Amino acid sequence: MSEAVSRPTLEAVAARAGVSRATVSRVVNGGDGVREPLVERVRQAVEELGYVPNQAARSLVTKRHDAVAVVIAEPETRIFTDPFFALQLRGISKELTAHDNQLVLLLTEGRDDHTRVARYLAGGHVDGALVFSLHLDDPLPGLIEGAGVPTVFGGRPGWSDGSNSAVYVDCDNRGGAQDAVRHLVGLGRRRIAHITGPLDQTSAADRLQGYRDVMGEPDPRLVVLSDFTVGGGERAMGELLDRCPDVDAVFAANDLTALGALRVLRERGRRVPEDVAVIGFDDVLPVTEQSAPSLTTVRQDIEEMGRLMARLLLRALTRGKPATGAPSSLILPTTLVRRASA
Amino acid sequence: MSEAVSRPTLEAVAARAGVSRATVSRVVNGGDGVREPLVERVRQAVEELGYVPNQAARSLVTKRHDAVAVVIAEPETRIFTDPFFALQLRGISKELTAHDNQLVLLLTEGRDDHTRVARYLAGGHVDGALVFSLHLDDPLPGLIEGAGVPTVFGGRPGWSDGSNSAVYVDCDNRGGAQDAVRHLVGLGRRRIAHITGPLDQTSAADRLQGYRDVMGEPDPRLVVLSDFTVGGGERAMGELLDRCPDVDAVFAANDLTALGALRVLRERGRRVPEDVAVIGFDDVLPVTEQSAPSLTTVRQDIEEMGRLMARLLLRALTRGKPATGAPSSLILPTTLVRRASA
DNA sequence: TTGAAAGCGCTAACAT
DNA sequence: ATGTTAGCGCTTTCAA
């Protein structure tokens, strides 16, 4: 565990190359307006000295940090069992890296953390924030707005009904759900149930809405509340089977839930898809491909969503301060992926 | 997406409180050596103005960043399916947060990223690094050593045989494996197989070693190479059943692998644990508790490992520059958790 | 105990 | 095209 040594400064490079600090600075930042031979001399000096710019000094004057905060507010354990966040993080990371921005991860567990995060964002450590706002009553979005940091949300924030100015990236939860249920209808199913996600999250609420759009006025017993987890899916499916033994199709709010449903159906001796067809949502490959039977699901490109969130933010950041047409939210399409379960 | 506004400076607070910048600085940094009435005045001014120190300016003079990089080099998709990393991240995040340090996440996918990471670390943006070095031939550790940044590794690095000075946190992979196999022996099992992880990772190699320690000279057909994934576990179990139909116990290198094995055993009509006992490693709850039957496994406290990595690094960072007794690596104990599968 | 002043390393006018 | 210079906002001697 070696100690950090003091790094060479611009000054040192300038001395070595026999030029002024300003010239070195120009070369380091792209080299525009500096004649070729000088550029070469400076480059060499940089190389020889192993010069790396001091980011703190640079930020102090530019007020840019080339860093973006990713705020994940997930008190539940979902983040640790659902590959969803990891995939989105990967997309974000790729995009940020491509634009030389750093990713500062802010994990929050409870209310105390919220003020901490708000303070951090307000402190001007980062140029912007990518926020996963998962619950309707979450105070975080408000705090963040107050911090005055450009922000893009992952998933439609609960308090934004389109009227609001919040920028977010989401998939077409409602449309995807409609597709799923229509497919089930097309299969000739009549008793189509829905196992929901936690309805204080817009993704879950929107999927339920899509289900309702197609079903019209469904038997209320066909809708069971759940929580996006395998265990929750199991419990819900059990309940469902108890109160509607004639159910012949299930649209689960996500793949994990579908997995739980599949398990219970098998235990209870129902054949999938012969007796009961099952459709999930997300298309998290390790789940959908390895389940038995493999899972028909509504695919959303999670990694791409992460990438787009970052891109949207970065664009807003570079597009000089004037609000040259505020960036608007993005709703990505979904596609139904047919496998064995429906 | 509001624009950042210019924040008040030390100067402004000083003016408002009617004191010098130096005094404000002292108060903000703990308030030692400032008389109570003044402290109060300054605190109030800070409050009223909503002052937050500019970290860049501070870093420029203190050369501290209160930020730690977490480098995860995982080209495989494992990071996205195994809760392992997420849990460790959570532990790290908690510890860093408790000490007002930020977490800068560096995800690397390939060789190109390595130089990028090395440059970043060398650039003095962070005070230290937490590195997950997963493969024996990974060039990253070397690059990082070269960057001269205090570093703690997650898991024993391949090139460190204890002789090396690298600091790391790991669990007792070998001992845990021994416990597992001994338990199987105690159950009266005679044909105990091992499905390994990728052997270029020390955790997998150490677990295999633990298996060998107890088994002595096992039938080589009882050892099947795999890769820490569910799919890999399925393939390995299939192979195992084909070449050793008399196998009566399996020690899988991790829980995901065990899950795959369980699945294949069920398909092939073997009862667990009656016909074949199965033990995993990690104790990732959503896997072990929800598998059918629930999984007996070797528990390691993953979140705690993350926390300890951060603590070790932070300690090295604060303990003034003099190497006041270099921190040494930590090996956490494991415990066998008995459930239904063995 | 408090204040004055000197930078930390860099960028960005402004001169030349 | 290149150099000179004035800060960015903060901490930290050093004096008072």
Side-chain angles (χ1 to χ4, degrees):
Chain A
M1 202 146 84
S2 51
E3 293 302 332
V5 289
S6 75
R7 323 227 122 249
T9 70
L10 247 204
E11 186 84 52
V13 178
R16 174 139 195 148
V19 299
S20 73
R21 274 161 31 199
T23 300
V24 178
S25 176
R26 289 181 188 114
V27 172
V28 169
N29 292 292
D32 301 342
V34 179
R35 247 190 273 275
E36 192 47 43
L38 265 201
V39 171
E40 207 36 59
R41 276 234 304 279
V42 172
R43 288 251 162 80
Q44 186 156 352
V46 165
E47 187 71 26
E48 289 169 1
L49 264 37
Y51 170 74
V52 181
N54 179 319
Q55 187 61 40
R58 177 181 278 170
S59 291
L60 187 54
V61 38
T62 62
K63 272 113 173 54
R64 277 282 249 129
H65 304 268
D66 296 319
V68 167
V70 172
V71 183
I72 300 185
E74 191 49 76
E76 317 303 325
T77 54
R78 184 184 160 210
I79 173 175
F80 302 113
T81 53
D82 196 329
F84 194 90
F85 289 101
L87 278 170
Q88 211 141 357
L89 256 189
R90 183 208 243 177
I92 290 170
S93 168
K94 277 185 178 165
E95 185 70 16
L96 290 183
T97 293
H99 293 81
D100 279 314
N101 266 264
Q102 293 312 322
L103 191 173
V104 178
L105 186 65
L106 267 28
L107 256 29
T108 77
E109 307 254 351
R111 303 283 143 149
D112 310 349
D113 285 357
H114 287 161
T115 58
R116 188 193 99 233
V117 167
R119 273 187 63 85
Y120 181 77
L121 293 181
H125 303 253
V126 292
D127 301 322
L130 262 18
V131 177
F132 293 88
S133 156
L134 288 155
H135 301 277
L136 269 178
D137 62 340
D138 201 321
L140 202 54
L143 288 174
I144 288 169
E145 286 273 288
V149 180
T151 301
V152 172
F153 290 92
R156 179 166 68 79
W159 34 268
S160 165
D161 299 297
S163 59
N164 200 301
S165 68
V167 176
Y168 64 88
V169 174
D170 206 344
C171 78
D172 183 7
N173 287 302
R174 187 165 172 178
Q178 291 173 356
D179 290 347
V181 180
R182 273 197 214 99
H183 176 68
L184 259 11
V185 170
L187 254 29
R189 308 295 166 142
R190 289 291 158 254
R191 296 289 283 168
I192 303 173
H194 178 44
I195 303 178
T196 76
L199 294 178
D200 64 340
Q201 299 182 26
T202 56
S203 57
D206 291 354
R207 289 171 198 179
L208 169 59
Q209 189 53 54
Y211 166 80
R212 288 218 168 104
D213 291 341
V214 178
M215 294 292 287
E217 203 69 45
D219 180 342
R221 289 173 307 168
L222 286 172
V223 175
V224 190
L225 300 183
S226 188
D227 59 3
F228 277 158
T229 68
V230 176
E234 289 175 336
R235 277 187 295 278
M237 191 67 236
E239 243 178 79
L240 201 51
L241 249 18
D242 290 342
R243 63 197 202 195
C244 302
D246 60 338
V247 62
D248 60 6
V250 175
F251 166 49
N254 75 344
D255 291 339
L256 256 24
T257 301
L259 193 62
L262 243 32
R263 217 174 260 176
V264 169
L265 286 168
R266 181 171 352 112
E267 275 170 19
R268 302 270 197 111
R270 308 289 181 115
R271 290 167 308 162
V272 176
E274 295 82 352
D275 303 330
V276 182
V278 176
I279 298 191
F281 205 115
D282 285 349
D283 198 25
V284 175
L285 290 179
V287 171
T288 53
E289 289 188 333
Q290 292 182 18
S291 63
S294 65
L295 193 65
T296 291
T297 191
V298 180
R299 181 176 191 345
Q300 59 170 322
D301 193 337
I302 302 171
E303 190 173 329
E304 176 70 5
M305 283 172 57
R307 210 177 340 239
L308 286 174
M309 283 179 70
R311 194 169 297 165
L312 227 51
L313 182 62
L314 256 20
R315 191 173 300 160
L317 256 25
T318 51
R319 171 159 50 205
K321 292 298 159 197
T324 321
S328 55
S329 298
L330 247 35
I331 315 258
L332 302 194
T334 60
T335 54
L336 187 71
V337 178
R338 291 210 51 185
R339 293 204 181 81
S341 70
Chain B
M1 201 145 82
S2 51
E3 293 301 334
V5 288
S6 75
R7 322 231 122 247
T9 68
L10 247 203
E11 186 84 52
V13 178
R16 175 137 195 150
V19 298
S20 71
R21 277 160 29 202
T23 299
V24 178
S25 176
R26 288 181 189 116
V27 172
V28 170
N29 293 291
D32 301 342
V34 179
R35 245 189 276 274
E36 192 46 43
L38 266 200
V39 171
E40 209 34 61
R41 277 234 305 278
V42 172
R43 287 251 161 81
Q44 185 155 352
V46 165
E47 187 70 26
E48 288 168 3
L49 264 35
Y51 169 74
V52 181
N54 178 318
Q55 188 60 41
R58 177 180 277 172
S59 291
L60 187 54
V61 33
T62 61
K63 271 117 174 54
R64 276 283 248 129
H65 304 266
D66 296 320
V68 167
V70 172
V71 183
I72 300 187
E74 191 49 78
E76 317 302 327
T77 54
R78 184 186 160 207
I79 172 175
F80 301 114
T81 53
D82 196 329
F84 195 90
F85 289 101
L87 278 171
Q88 211 142 359
L89 257 188
R90 181 205 244 176
I92 290 170
S93 168
K94 278 186 179 164
E95 184 71 16
L96 290 183
T97 293
H99 292 82
D100 278 313
N101 267 263
Q102 293 311 322
L103 192 172
V104 178
L105 186 65
L106 268 28
L107 255 31
T108 77
E109 306 256 351
R111 302 284 143 147
D112 312 350
D113 284 357
H114 287 160
T115 59
R116 189 193 98 232
V117 167
R119 273 188 63 84
Y120 181 77
L121 294 180
H125 303 251
V126 292
D127 300 323
L130 261 17
V131 177
F132 294 87
S133 157
L134 289 156
H135 301 277
L136 269 178
D137 61 342
D138 201 321
L140 201 57
L143 288 173
I144 287 168
E145 287 273 286
V149 181
T151 300
V152 172
F153 291 91
R156 179 166 67 79
W159 34 267
S160 164
D161 301 295
S163 59
N164 200 302
S165 68
V167 176
Y168 63 88
V169 174
D170 205 344
C171 78
D172 183 7
N173 287 301
R174 187 166 172 177
Q178 292 172 354
D179 290 346
V181 180
R182 272 197 214 100
H183 176 67
L184 292 171
V185 170
L187 254 29
R189 308 295 165 142
R190 288 292 157 255
R191 295 288 284 166
I192 303 171
H194 178 43
I195 303 178
T196 75
L199 295 179
D200 64 339
Q201 297 182 26
T202 56
S203 57
D206 291 354
R207 289 168 199 181
L208 169 58
Q209 188 56 52
Y211 166 79
R212 287 217 169 105
D213 291 341
V214 178
M215 295 292 286
E217 202 70 45
D219 180 342
R221 290 172 308 170
L222 286 172
V223 176
V224 191
L225 300 184
S226 189
D227 59 4
F228 277 159
T229 69
V230 177
E234 290 175 336
R235 277 187 295 280
M237 192 69 236
E239 244 178 79
L240 200 52
L241 250 19
D242 290 342
R243 63 196 202 197
C244 303
D246 61 338
V247 62
D248 61 6
V250 176
F251 166 49
N254 75 345
D255 290 339
L256 256 26
T257 301
L259 193 62
L262 242 33
R263 217 174 259 178
V264 170
L265 285 168
R266 181 173 349 115
E267 275 170 19
R268 303 269 197 113
R270 307 289 183 115
R271 290 168 308 163
V272 176
E274 296 82 352
D275 302 330
V276 182
V278 176
I279 297 189
F281 204 114
D282 284 349
D283 198 24
V284 175
L285 290 179
V287 172
T288 53
E289 289 188 334
Q290 293 182 18
S291 63
S294 65
L295 194 65
T296 291
T297 191
V298 180
R299 181 174 189 354
Q300 59 171 323
D301 192 338
I302 301 171
E303 189 172 329
E304 176 71 5
M305 282 172 59
R307 210 180 337 240
L308 287 174
M309 283 178 69
R311 193 169 299 166
L312 229 49
L313 182 62
L314 255 22
R315 191 172 300 161
L317 255 27
T318 50
R319 170 157 50 206
K321 291 301 159 195
T324 321
S328 54
S329 298
L330 247 35
I331 314 259
L332 302 194
T334 60
T335 54
L336 188 70
V337 178
R338 290 211 53 184
R339 294 203 182 82
S341 70

